[in-house]
Amino acid sequence: AQSVTQLGSHVSVSEGALVLLRCNYSSSVPPYLFWYVQYPNQGLQLLLKYTSAATLVKGINGFEAEFKKSETSFHLTKPSAHMSDAAEYFCAVSDLTDKLIFGTGTRLQVFP
Amino acid sequence: GAGVSQSPSNKVTEKGKDVELRCDPISGHTALYWYRQRLGQGLEFLIYFQGNSAPDKSGLPSDRFSAERTGESVSTLTIQRTQQEDSAVYLCASSQRTSGRTDTQYFGPGTRLTVL
């Protein structure tokens, strides 16, 4: 079975600081992993996805994530936070039937 | 229509009433998914359509929940005899289903259901 754990339901950073959002997965088959962002009162938008082509994945808005099999992790990072990055971030793994199994989300706050 | 659309955007109903939620996927997307997002929780899978068949209904929480899809178009999620625990945001997503597990799912804005 597939599952995802997101450590930290809330993360706060100062504008310009490093953003690190943690995601660990469990999967009985080679995992395919996704990060989605949800802005207030909006649907989810794909930030990036890992499909086994490359372990370092670059996404939109300056975000990237590194797949580390040995650590079963897929942490999301951005070198310099912007106020507009404030949102909720979800990590997900795709199931054998293609549905997404989501983590509980991390709310990112960015302070000026 | 560039994206997935859902209607209504908000629905307030009384306990025991039936509700219907609608999803219009992106044109040409054969796969359609329904998820539920309860306050403070992640998204829970409800049901998956490939065309108008539903190969995975494993997430439907009870027999009060049902869904149908017309061809590769509109889907309706119906909740009968609503309960307060049904209050949530119901999200619909669609994908082209070209490679399966790596396909990007595109999400609609959701329907916020409140059961009084």
Side-chain angles (χ1 to χ4, degrees), chain A residues 2 27 29-32 34 36 38 41-44 46 49 51 90 94-100 102-104, chain B residues 33 35 37 40-45 48 56 58 91 97 99-110 112:
Chain A
Q2 283 69 34
S27 180
V29 294
Y32 298 116
F34 302 76
Y36 279 86
Q38 186 176 34
N41 300 313
Q42 294 187 30
L44 276 71
L46 180 71
K49 64 180 178 181
T51 60
F90 292 95
S94 64
D95 187 85
L96 289 173
T97 58
D98 306 344
K99 66 180 180 281
L100 293 174
F102 284 89
T104 51
Chain B
Y33 305 79
Y35 296 87
Q37 185 177 23
Q41 299 184 29
L43 281 78
E44 308 169 72
F45 166 79
Y48 156 53
D56 190 349
S58 62
L91 291 160
R97 200 161 197 291
S99 55
R101 292 181 63 213
T102 62
D103 292 329
T104 296
Q105 294 183 25
Y106 296 86
F107 283 79
R112 182 176 298 277

Side-chain angles (χ1 to χ4, degrees), chain A residues 36-76:
Chain A
Y36 279 86
V37 61
Q38 186 176 34
Y39 298 103
N41 300 313
Q42 294 187 30
L44 276 71
Q45 179 182 4
L46 180 71
L47 277 176
L48 50 81
K49 64 180 178 181
Y50 168 73
T51 60
S52 76
T55 56
L56 182 63
V57 182
K58 295 187 183 298
I60 62 172
N61 301 338
F63 284 93
E64 63 181 38
E66 186 171 8
F67 173 73
K68 292 186 177 180
K69 184 177 179 179
S70 61
E71 298 178 7
T72 61
S73 69
F74 190 56
H75 302 330
L76 183 70

Side-chain angles (χ1 to χ4, degrees), chain B residues 22-40:
Chain B
R22 176 188 169 105
C23 172
D24 281 273
I26 293 172
S27 178
H29 281 193
T30 59
L32 186 147
Y33 305 79
W34 283 98
Y35 296 87
R36 177 171 71 174
Q37 185 177 23
R38 287 191 276 194
L39 189 64

